[in-house]
Each structure stands twice: as structure tokens, then as C-alpha cells.
Amino acid sequence: MTGEAATNRSAEGDDPTAEGALVPAPRRLVRTGDGRPALHTGTLLETGPGTEPTARWLRAHLGAATGLPFGEAPAGTPAPEDDPGRIDRLALVVDPELPAEGYRLTVAAPTTRIEGGSPAGVFWGAQTLRQLLGADAHRRAPIDPARQWTLPQVTVEDAPRFGWRGMMMDVSRHFTPKEGVLRYLDLLAAHKLNVFHFHLTDDQGWRIEIKRYPKLTEAGAWRSRTKWGHRASPLWDDKPHGGYYTQDDIREIVAYAAARHIRIVPEIDVPGHSQAAITAYPELGNADVVDTAAMTVWDTWGVSPNVLAPTDHTLRFYEGVLEEVLALFPAETSPFVHIGGDECPKDQWRQSPAAQARIRELGLKDEDELQSWFIRHFDAWIAERGRRLIGWDEILEGGLAPGAAVSSWRGYGGGITAARAGHDVVMCPEQQVYLDHRQHDGPDEPVPIGFVRTLEDVYRFEPVPPELTPEEARHVLGTQANVWAEVMENSSRMDYQVFPRLAAFAEVAWSTLPASADRDFAGFEDRMTEHYRRLDALGVQYRPPTGPLPWQQRPGLLGRPIDGPPPNV
């Protein structure tokens, strides 16, 4: 059962107002006629150069939902004679005159055209076509074989506001199996999001196979038990938890994302958030301070005190890890590599004779500069291999190489500082777009974490701070929503936290909207009535507008709610 039961919706049908329910909202939609031309068994795909992946996607997904074969139009054959009631040809065309990810969808008979400024633009146009066909076009098989699949006669002209429209998925705290990752790539694509930030390593688990270092997954991918609720909760789940992606799994995920024009940003956390790696290879830790050989994969939440030792061996070890990561995530689909760089406690370095000797050897002032040295080493190493480093905003401390970029998570401040220093920025402030934060302050919300961020709050999120000049604002690559999985033990919990807010976030990232206070949230809510039906068809177990369903509640599980509005920092 999904949230369908809790939402008031009209019946499915050939509703001429359906074209007004697109999410995210397009820049321009014009009704060009009163007719509703229909796709049919003889509708052929005319595939232009570069559009073949979109044609495959249409056959696999729209073909499955409608039961239509979408055969290939023979090259050079003329379009059939005009029939106002039938779409005999669906033409996919790259038109470089359009914006790179922009598209023009022209619904007409006998030929409906999807033109994109790039193959990605054609793909986003195909997503709009699917939305115009109605919610059942998002299913995996036809539910009414006799149904006519009609479209409103419209022209849609559209292009995104930002080039970076992303979501981060944490698979370390709770593991998401490969099928769940592929499912979320489809959900991102359905919302015209084009970046998947893949948080692969942390204290609670190492999730990517590294052939050179097999113990990372043999030992580092599993923990004996898991904290149930917030770390202050007295409850435990005593089942072992873990899992990892083989290198072939990663190759499949990368190819699946690329076919949907989604870039993947792999994250390998250094020098903090590394207890799972130290458990697997104790020599990576500060063995002159703690007994790293007795360490286990962390079973609770928060920030572990166990961090990497600043040794040449640690550098060479992680260079070996990153060599395999770069091979698995090719530059054309993963130009950025995320190295974390956040929340690194310095206590062990202060107590470690080896770390203190390293500080003196390098002529550094203190432990903060030691962390900066660590980050700058990998900044240079990654840049030498044609990639760009990106890290959480703590990496600004001590200075960055010109090509490095910043994920501004602690608020807007880090992003503002980075942009003013000439660094590219992805805005993802925790106070606004951490989707693990609660959606309501009611007692039935499951494991309430952080500030209340409602659907409307997310819809009014503005990624570009007004403090930036136009020149500085050009460094804002875009924005992403982050999904941390401490209290999301399975796909149902993740769906509940992510949706419907990801739909609002997608509109913020894609659409050209008015200033935050002037946005038409009531109009967005009206469009969401139809979009909830799409989410139902896709099997998304979202939070209903009326609140959590009984099975979505988690009574008695201690969280960490923060009262009041979030600070604008």
C-alpha cells in the first residue's frame, strides 16, 4: 500500500488540463490545438544521431507501460499523410541551436517531435512526454490493454536553471542494495535530476569492492549490530548489517546512470569517517594512540574519533583505492571525485607522536593545517589525472587548489566563501535540503531528526545567496539534496523521507522560479495532486500530505528534533 489512500485525487482520464501538472514546471507551454492525438501500435520512432539511448529508454519504459512496440522508422522514409487523430511517428532530434540540456516537445499528428540541444535534452523531453501521457505511463505493464494513449496538442519549450541538479545517497550507514540504487536513478531521471552523489564509505561500512585491498569489503563492509533510532536511543538492532557493490555492480550502475544522462560523484571519505577502513587495515589508524587491531566497524551514529594516520603509507593506500575508483567511474560520467574532508576530530593527532612529528616535518602550524595538507595532497593527485576534487566545506580551511569545488553543507557560509575565492560550489545547506530532517513536528513522525522542513519549505529554498555578486554567483554550479541514512533502515523509510520533497527540490533546481517569497506554492500543490498519482504508479512510498500512514510511523524511537526555524548561516 502506498500513500495513495491518503490523498484525494480525481479519476484518471483524458483530462485536457493534465498538461498543467508537469513537475518540474517548464519554462513555456503553449496549447496549439484542441485535439488529443493518440499513440498506437503503428507509432514508429525516428531516431536521429545521438538519440539512440532515449529511443531504447522509450521502448523499455514507455513501451512496457503502454504495451506499444515503438518500432524503428526506416531511414529516409517520408512521414505518412496527416491524420489528426494519430501519431504515426515520434521523431527524436538533436538540435544544437537549443540550450545544451534544453528541449522542445511538439505534440502534433502525424509526427510528434522531441528536439534537444544535446542527447540529454532529448531525454528530458521524453520524460515530459511520459508525464503528459498520465500517471499510468509510469507503470511497468499496461493495466488496461484497450486504453488509448492520447496527448494534449501542445508545444513545450524548456531548459534547466542549473547544470548540477543532484541527490546524495548515503549507503554506508544503511546499505542500499544495487536494485535500490538503480531504482533511485530512475526516480532522479523522472524528476530531471542529473547528479547522483554516491556516499560509499564511512565509519559504519565500506561499500565498494577494491581488488587491491580485499579486506575493505571482507571486514569493513559489515557491522555486528546497529543503533535503532538516534545515537542517544537505548535501542539496538542486534542483526549484523552490511553489504557492498562488486566492481561489476559499479560498472552496471555507472552505465545505467549514463543512459539516463546522470553523472555519478563517488565519495571516498578521508581523513575522518574512516573507522571501517581502519578496522580492515589497522595500520591506517593512529596505532600509537589506540589499539587499532581491536577496532570494529562502528555500530552507532555521530562522529567517530578514529581517523586516518597522516603517514606516507596511508597516502599510498588511498592512492591505490582511488586508482580503482577512477577506473570504475570514467571521466566522461564522473568528472568530480568527492573526498569528504568533513568532521575530522583532531584528538588522536594531538596525542600521536607520529602525527606531531609529521606536523614538524612539514612545517605546519597545527592539526588543522595537517588536515589541509592531507586534502591538498589528494587535490593535486586527482587533478593530475584529469579529474576535479570536490569536498565538504571544511576543505576550505587551509586553502584549496584552483580547480577544487566545495559542497556547502553547514549552511550557505562555506559556499559564499568559496564562490568569493573563485571556487565552484554546490549548495546543499543542511538547514534547508537535508531530507533526513523531519517533515512535520507531529508526534507520529518516524525518528524525528533536525529542523522541520516541509514541502513548502523545500519549494521556497533558494540555492543562490543574495550576498553574491553576479560574477560570484556564476560559481554556483547548482544544488543537491542530501539523504543521510542513519535512521533509514530500508527503502520504505528512504522513500518516506525523500518524497514528496524531492519533487519540490527538483523544481527549484530545474525551473526558473520567482524569488522565494513570491513562488506559487498553491499552484505547485495543485500540480502535485497529479504527481502523487505518478509516484503511486512508480511504487514510491512517500509521506502523504495528511501525515504518515500507520505503518510509516515509528512510535517510541528516540530522535534529535531541533525546534524553531533553521538559522540562515
Side-chain angles (χ1 to χ4, degrees):
M1 181 180 179
T2 69
E4 187 171 10
T7 307
N8 182 23
R9 304 185 182 87
S10 59
E12 176 74 41
D14 291 339
D15 178 5
T17 65
E19 65 266 26
L22 296 177
V23 176
R27 290 189 177 185
R28 183 170 181 265
L29 183 150
V30 178
R31 188 79 192 230
T32 57
D34 295 329
R36 289 189 67 88
L39 301 171
H40 58 95
T41 56
T43 300
L44 302 178
L45 292 184
E46 182 180 309
T47 307
T51 69
E52 296 84 358
T54 297
R56 288 193 289 271
W57 181 88
L58 282 166
R59 291 188 178 102
H61 292 268
L62 208 55
T66 63
L68 302 178
F70 295 112
E72 183 70 27
T77 58
E81 294 300 318
D82 185 34
D83 181 340
R86 291 162 55 98
I87 298 172
D88 293 317
R89 188 161 300 191
L90 185 55
L92 310 178
V93 181
V94 172
D95 178 359
E97 297 297 315
L98 294 171
E101 286 190 273
Y103 66 89
R104 181 189 303 115
L105 168 61
T106 307
V107 178
T111 301
T112 287
R113 296 174 65 83
I114 304 176
E115 301 161 285
S118 66
V122 176
F123 182 72
W124 304 132
Q127 294 289 347
T128 296
L129 177 81
R130 180 166 71 159
Q131 286 199 11
L132 289 173
L133 282 167
D136 288 340
H138 296 72
R139 297 188 181 274
R140 296 187 183 184
I143 60 174
D144 179 4
R147 174 173 175 162
Q148 263 208 326
W149 293 94
T150 67
L151 287 159
Q153 200 167 317
V154 296
T155 296
V156 183
E157 294 178 338
D158 202 5
R161 179 186 180 191
F162 293 111
W164 186 301
R165 310 178 302 279
M167 190 191 92
M168 188 222 70
M169 178 185 284
D170 166 21
V171 296
S172 294
R173 276 50 177 268
H174 278 101
F175 179 62
T176 298
K178 180 193 70 177
E179 286 303 314
V181 174
L182 299 179
R183 173 176 174 263
Y184 258 81
L185 289 171
D186 277 328
L187 291 172
L188 264 61
H191 291 82
K192 299 186 174 74
L193 297 173
N194 69 342
V195 175
F196 180 67
H197 177 168
F198 208 3
H199 185 80
L200 288 162
T201 72
D202 218 298
D203 299 308
Q204 295 86 0
W206 185 284
R207 304 297 180 213
I208 178 171
E209 178 188 27
I210 302 297
K211 301 279 191 182
R212 194 174 313 187
Y213 305 121
K215 291 180 184 177
L216 286 171
T217 46
E218 290 172 1
W222 308 92
R223 60 179 182 258
S224 61
R225 63 176 186 169
T226 298
K227 176 64 70 173
W228 188 232
H230 183 253
R231 63 180 176 272
S233 166
L235 303 177
W236 293 89
D237 180 351
D238 287 319
K239 298 191 301 293
H241 178 85
Y244 66 92
Y245 309 103
T246 68
Q247 294 204 349
D248 281 345
D249 290 338
I250 294 292
R251 293 184 183 99
E252 180 183 359
I253 289 167
V254 168
Y256 198 85
R260 287 147 182 79
H261 301 279
I262 295 172
R263 289 174 285 151
I264 297 184
V265 180
E267 181 178 358
I268 305 296
D269 238 321
V270 297
H273 289 291
S274 298
Q275 183 163 324
I278 298 168
T279 298
Y281 291 92
E283 67 272 18
L284 295 174
N286 297 284
D288 56 348
V289 176
V290 294
D291 183 4
T292 56
M295 201 172 290
T296 60
V297 177
W298 218 26
D299 57 14
T300 189
W301 316 128
V303 179
S304 168
N306 296 300
V307 302
L308 297 175
T311 64
D312 287 342
H313 173 76
T314 299
L315 298 182
R316 300 292 88 77
F317 183 97
Y318 274 86
E319 287 170 0
V321 168
L322 288 169
E323 283 176 2
E324 295 193 28
V325 169
L326 295 185
L328 290 168
F329 295 91
E332 56 269 25
T333 55
S334 297
F336 286 90
V337 176
H338 207 291
I339 51 75
D342 64 316
E343 297 180 325
C344 179
K346 309 299 192 300
D347 291 345
Q348 289 183 359
W349 288 351
R350 293 186 184 99
Q351 299 165 21
S352 164
Q356 292 301 310
R358 197 71 198 247
I359 289 173
R360 292 191 296 271
E361 172 197 338
L362 296 168
L364 303 177
K365 183 174 65 177
D366 55 20
E367 292 78 16
D368 290 337
E369 285 197 0
L370 184 62
Q371 178 175 348
S372 177
W373 164 81
F374 208 110
I375 299 301
R376 289 172 74 92
H377 173 86
F378 287 105
D379 189 344
W381 190 92
I382 288 169
E384 286 170 0
R385 287 152 182 81
R387 308 293 182 94
R388 294 183 65 186
L389 177 145
I390 186 169
W392 303 112
D393 53 55
E394 287 96 330
I395 68 172
L396 285 165
E397 298 161 6
L400 279 179
V406 171
S407 300
S408 188
W409 77 273
R410 290 182 293 181
Y412 290 103
I416 292 170
T417 300
R420 286 176 173 167
H423 293 288
D424 288 338
V425 177
V426 176
M427 286 293 187
C428 49
E430 64 168 328
Q431 302 88 350
Q432 310 297 330
V433 288
Y434 269 32
L435 299 187
D436 47 300
H437 284 200
R438 57 195 175 132
Q439 304 177 67
H440 194 274
D441 60 3
D444 293 334
E445 293 299 313
V447 197
I449 299 295
F451 297 102
V452 172
R453 292 287 86 191
T454 65
L455 184 66
E456 181 172 1
D457 291 329
V458 174
Y459 189 69
R460 297 194 186 280
F461 164 61
E462 173 48 50
V464 180
E467 298 95 319
L468 296 180
T469 67
E471 179 63 30
E472 292 165 347
R474 278 193 277 273
H475 285 290
V476 179
L477 300 176
T479 182
Q480 71 181 35
N482 293 340
V483 183
W484 299 102
E486 286 93 336
V487 297
M488 299 182 210
E489 68 278 3
N490 55 40
S491 64
S492 297
R493 277 289 290 121
M494 185 171 289
D495 279 5
Y496 181 90
Q497 291 300 131
V498 171
F499 288 99
R501 292 183 295 180
L502 193 71
F505 174 81
E507 184 146 315
V508 169
W510 176 278
S511 304
T512 303
L513 298 175
S516 177
D518 299 329
R519 292 176 188 172
D520 181 12
F521 179 68
F524 176 74
E525 277 191 306
D526 287 343
R527 284 183 285 121
M528 280 301 296
T529 299
E530 175 67 14
H531 200 65
Y532 284 122
R533 301 180 67 253
R534 296 181 190 121
L535 297 177
D536 287 331
L538 288 165
V540 177
Q541 298 174 56
Y542 56 86
R543 181 190 188 276
T546 51
L549 299 171
W551 60 269
Q552 292 174 321
Q553 300 171 19
R554 295 289 190 281
L557 276 184
L558 184 65
R560 185 183 59 88
I562 305 175
D563 294 329
N568 188 14
V569 295

